[in-house]
Amino acid sequence: KALVTFYFFATQFQTVMTPMTVIMPEERSVNLREYRNGVFTAPIYFLSRLTLAIINAALLALITTFCFYPIVGFPVTPFPGKFIKWWSFQFLFLTSILMFGYAIGMAAPSAIAANKAIGAIAIPWLLTAGVFPPNADLRPTTSWLHYPNLFSWASKIGLTIAFKGKKSKIYCSTS
């Protein structure tokens, strides 16, 4: 269950961030033209983008909570409490990924460069999350990359939410 949870969060990183990194470079020219013509101001545009990302994250979190949580076999009792905590965590995780993708998309010169940046960020995080290779096998020069790793923190928080209150201990290779 720990590995499935880890790969779930790692997969979400790519699939949620990619649309933002593709759309934002393409939308930049339209945004600048309409801003120059006085159609809207920059704060209103960014506020509308933020609102859209939050709504998107809330819906994605709802879908993934009701699909992923029971399929993996996480404990569902108490029913509303665990689902609400998992949904809240998913919502925060997906919102942060969407905002990260938004920033990469606005900074990248093209959609291709933005998608390359996603790989450049995701691959080191995958390799230093402590799943493959385990933390004990990481070289000393790269072992510090485990601490700012979004994937390892997301997996730990997700597993804590799923199994909090269980009497058995969880052994996870990411710690």
Side-chain angles (χ1 to χ4, degrees):
K1 292 179 185 180
L3 286 175
V4 171
T5 304
F6 171 78
Y7 287 114
F8 172 69
F9 290 120
T11 304
Q12 276 188 327
F13 181 80
Q14 178 77 26
T15 57
V16 172
M17 189 182 282
T18 300
M20 291 301 283
T21 57
V22 171
I23 291 170
M24 295 318 297
E26 303 300 325
E27 201 173 88
R28 185 182 309 119
S29 61
V30 175
N31 180 17
L32 292 174
R33 183 188 68 222
E34 291 179 0
Y35 174 73
R36 183 186 67 226
N37 293 335
V39 175
F40 55 80
T41 61
I44 296 299
Y45 173 76
F46 291 115
L47 185 63
S48 66
R49 265 288 166 202
L50 176 65
T51 305
L52 185 62
I54 288 172
I55 292 169
N56 188 7
L59 291 174
L60 283 173
L62 188 66
I63 291 167
T64 57
T65 298
F66 282 106
C67 292
F68 178 77
Y69 199 87
I71 289 172
V72 173
F74 285 151
V76 292
T77 55
F79 173 68
K82 289 210 180 251
F83 273 150
I84 291 171
K85 286 179 184 177
W86 183 269
W87 177 85
S88 301
F89 171 65
Q90 278 289 109
F91 174 67
L92 291 174
F93 180 71
L94 293 173
T95 302
S96 64
I97 290 173
L98 284 167
M99 291 297 104
F100 194 39
Y102 177 70
I104 289 174
M106 287 302 284
S110 69
I112 294 171
N115 282 333
K116 287 180 182 178
I118 293 174
I121 294 166
I123 290 172
W125 275 357
L126 283 171
L127 293 176
T128 60
V131 175
F132 60 91
N135 285 340
D137 294 342
L138 288 176
R139 294 178 183 225
T141 54
T142 60
S143 63
W144 66 272
L145 290 171
H146 175 72
Y147 297 107
N149 194 322
L150 183 65
F151 298 154
S152 62
W153 286 104
S155 297
K156 288 175 187 176
I157 293 170
L159 288 171
T160 302
I161 290 171
F163 291 106
K164 186 176 181 184
K166 297 292 280 184
K167 295 196 188 258
S168 61
K169 291 188 176 192
I170 300 170
Y171 297 100
C172 180
S173 64
T174 61
S175 57

